[in-house]
């Protein structure tokens, strides 16, 4: 539906986007994630034609954005809704009139407007609040109004730029599920910008991870989490233990002074690698039973698990477990081959 090929964008001498290529399919929730300054919002604005890019092409349903006249661009934008972090609701209007605003600008018949607005109110579960001032609504309700206002124009694509950023943590989690439910009901494409890793994993069918204007990895949430391509992705998406290792041969890696079985293949023999083990994949066992042995240095209760730092002779591991061990206790650490992920050393690390 949307093809982005080798797009670059500069603001003066600052390179904001560098050689961005992405294909976005119809009906997907496509998450764009990265740190502040990664170029996420700029990319979204380029897709919508609000920013001109310096190189490459963006094609929306077969139409190249850069080659469109202003009139043609407006027609493309009619098929795109956009929701910003601050919602941009009109405080002088009630809920119904905020949702109906775009339809009235297009001079839609009154009965059609009423029919469409009522449908949206039902979709976002605000039927009882049509006459209420938007300023009297909660943050979560205002977010639903913004969604309804965008969807009432029946776009093919909805662009969302940090739409939950202004909400508290509990409400964010609730609205993540609401947004996903709404997307499944209306069946349109969502392009969703966020810096929140958990939000991206929860919401998205596919994710692109960006860093300083460049793509680091594109894949499903499980691919991004379980198979990070480099140290940045491994650290940015969740917690990771990253250990220096040597890939002895296919399915056999050496780190922390011993040899481990793994499932990775295709590396050169004796290649230096980064070994990634997620904290939840390490199991604490009796000291004599573990593949590694270490001492518990600290423990922090995180609500659903305990986070412990276990110091071995070669590396201090972060471990997540529902069972707590006392500080100073000697324990064993165990991990199965499937949970040992091998990455090529970055060019920076090798230099």
């Amino acid at each position: 539906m949307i093809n982005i090929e080798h797009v670059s964008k500069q603001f003066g001498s600052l390179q904001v986007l560098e050689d961005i290529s992405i294909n976005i399919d119809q009906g997907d929730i496509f998450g764009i994630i990265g740190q502040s300054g990664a170029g996420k919002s700029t990319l979204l604005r380029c897709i919508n034609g609000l920013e001109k890019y310096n190189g490459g092409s963006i094609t929306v349903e077969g139409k190249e954005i850069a080659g469109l006249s202003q009139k043609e661009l407006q027609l493309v934008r009619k098929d795109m809704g956009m929701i910003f972090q601050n919602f941009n609701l009109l405080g002088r209007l009630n809920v119904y009139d905020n949702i109906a605003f775009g339809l009235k600008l297009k001079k839609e018949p009154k009965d059609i407007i009423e029919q469409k607005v009522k449908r949206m109110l039902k979709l976002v579960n605000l039927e009882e609040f049509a006459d209420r001032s938007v300023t009297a609504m909660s943050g979560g309700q205002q977010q639903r109004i913004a969604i309804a206002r965008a969807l009432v124009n029946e776009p093919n694509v909805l662009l969302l730029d940090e739409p939950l950023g202004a909400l508290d943590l509990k409400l964010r989690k609730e609205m993540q599920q609401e947004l996903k439910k709404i997307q499944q009901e209306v069946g349109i494409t969502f392009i969703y910008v966020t810096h929140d890793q958990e939000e991206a994993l929860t919401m998205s069918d596919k994710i692109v991870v960006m860093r300083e204007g460049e793509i680091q990895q594109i894949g499903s949430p499980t691919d991004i989490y379980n198979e990070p391509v480099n140290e940045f992705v491994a650290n940015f998406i969740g917690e990771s233990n990253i250990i220096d290792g040597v890939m002895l041969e296919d399915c056999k890696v050496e780190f922390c002074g011993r040899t481990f079985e793994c499932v990775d293949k295709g590396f050169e023999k004796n290649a230096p690698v980064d070994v990634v083990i997620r904290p939840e994949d390490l199991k604490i066992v009796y000291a004599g039973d573990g593949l590694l042995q270490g001492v518990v240095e600290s423990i922090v209760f995180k609500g659903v698990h305990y986070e412990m730092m276990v110091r071995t002779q070669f590396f201090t591991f972060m471990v997540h477990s529902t069972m707590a061990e006392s500080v100073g206790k000697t324990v064993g650490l165990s991990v199965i081959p499937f949970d040992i992920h091998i990455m090529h050393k970055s060019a920076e690390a090798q230099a």
Side-chain angles (χ1 to χ4, degrees):
M1 183 179 190
I2 298 175
N3 296 314
I4 303 168
E5 296 185 4
H6 306 294
V7 165
S8 61
K9 171 66 181 175
Q10 290 176 293
F11 290 113
S13 60
L14 179 63
Q15 190 77 37
V16 182
L17 298 175
E18 178 68 35
D19 196 27
I20 302 295
S21 293
I22 302 169
N23 291 322
I24 300 173
D25 295 328
Q26 171 69 39
D28 274 356
I29 300 182
F30 192 93
I32 303 174
I33 185 170
Q35 299 167 325
S36 296
K40 309 181 299 296
S41 296
T42 299
L43 179 58
L44 206 66
R45 291 172 64 83
C46 287
I47 293 171
N48 197 37
L50 294 172
E51 290 284 357
K52 293 182 179 180
Y53 40 96
N54 302 111
S57 67
I58 298 177
T59 305
V60 179
E61 295 184 316
K63 297 176 181 178
E64 162 61 51
I65 295 294
L68 298 179
S69 66
Q70 195 60 36
K71 185 176 181 181
E72 290 170 325
L73 186 58
Q74 290 299 327
L75 291 174
V76 171
R77 283 181 183 153
K78 284 183 179 179
D79 288 332
M80 290 189 185
M82 193 155 185
I83 299 176
F84 299 93
Q85 183 173 337
N86 60 6
F87 307 147
N88 290 334
L89 299 179
L90 300 170
R92 68 181 187 279
L93 302 180
N94 62 21
V95 172
Y96 182 100
D97 289 332
N98 262 276
I99 297 172
F101 188 75
L103 298 176
K104 290 179 178 178
L105 286 179
K106 292 193 292 186
K107 302 189 185 314
E108 293 259 11
K110 189 174 181 180
D111 59 331
I112 298 298
I113 292 175
E114 184 174 358
Q115 178 184 336
K116 289 183 176 181
V117 172
K118 284 185 175 180
R119 177 171 170 264
M120 285 300 112
L121 286 167
K122 183 176 182 180
L123 181 68
V124 298
N125 199 26
L126 290 175
E127 293 170 283
E128 299 177 8
F129 301 96
D131 297 325
R132 184 171 295 186
S133 168
V134 292
T135 58
M137 306 294 279
S138 69
Q141 289 170 329
Q142 288 185 5
Q143 205 259 2
R144 294 183 193 193
I145 297 165
I147 294 168
R149 187 179 62 179
L151 293 179
V152 78
N153 293 301
E154 300 174 340
N156 294 327
V157 182
L158 185 60
L159 309 178
L160 303 101
D161 192 0
E162 300 277 6
L164 308 182
L167 307 180
D168 62 57
L169 180 61
K170 185 173 184 296
L171 194 50
R172 282 176 74 102
K173 291 183 178 297
E174 291 175 2
M175 290 309 302
Q176 287 169 16
Q177 299 302 324
E178 286 291 328
L179 268 175
K180 199 166 180 69
K181 178 183 174 184
I182 289 169
Q183 188 273 342
Q184 289 169 348
E185 288 189 28
V186 296
I188 68 171
T189 304
F190 277 22
I191 304 177
Y192 192 99
V193 163
T194 180
H195 66 273
D196 187 300
Q197 302 95 317
E198 183 182 345
E199 191 166 287
L201 293 171
T202 300
M203 293 284 300
S204 307
D205 298 309
K206 191 176 284 188
I207 296 172
V208 56
V209 183
M210 295 182 64
R211 180 190 186 193
E212 296 178 352
E214 296 183 339
I215 291 175
Q216 301 296 301
Q217 186 171 354
I218 302 175
S220 69
T222 52
D223 288 341
I224 297 287
Y225 189 81
N226 293 325
E227 300 288 334
V229 297
N230 59 33
E231 184 175 351
F232 175 81
V233 176
N235 280 324
F236 189 71
I237 305 294
E239 304 279 3
S240 293
N241 296 291
I242 302 179
I243 312 107
D244 291 329
V246 176
M247 198 68 180
L248 301 176
E249 58 185 63
D250 284 350
C251 302
K252 192 169 290 186
V253 64
E254 182 183 85
F255 63 92
C256 289
R258 63 165 297 161
T259 300
F260 293 81
E261 299 292 328
C262 63
V263 296
D264 294 84
K265 300 178 181 180
F267 291 80
E268 293 182 8
K269 286 190 176 182
N270 299 315
V273 293
D274 284 326
V275 179
V276 180
I277 305 176
R278 296 290 187 181
E280 65 271 20
D281 292 330
L282 283 163
K283 308 303 179 194
I284 291 183
V285 296
Y286 289 113
D289 295 338
L291 298 170
L292 296 168
Q293 190 177 94
V295 176
V296 179
E297 286 198 324
S298 66
I299 179 169
V300 177
F301 181 56
K302 293 285 188 174
V304 294
H305 63 257
Y306 293 92
E307 181 176 287
M308 287 167 279
M309 303 304 294
V310 179
R311 177 175 49 82
T312 71
Q313 181 183 352
F314 300 93
F315 186 84
T316 299
F317 288 87
M318 178 186 292
V319 182
H320 289 169
S321 174
T322 55
M323 301 294 291
E325 301 290 346
S326 57
V327 173
K329 182 178 179 180
T330 299
V331 298
L333 294 177
S334 180
V335 60
I336 63 174
F338 182 80
D339 291 329
I340 298 174
H341 173 60
I342 311 300
M343 301 189 307
H344 290 279
K345 280 281 187 185
S346 66
E348 294 174 5
Q350 293 188 55

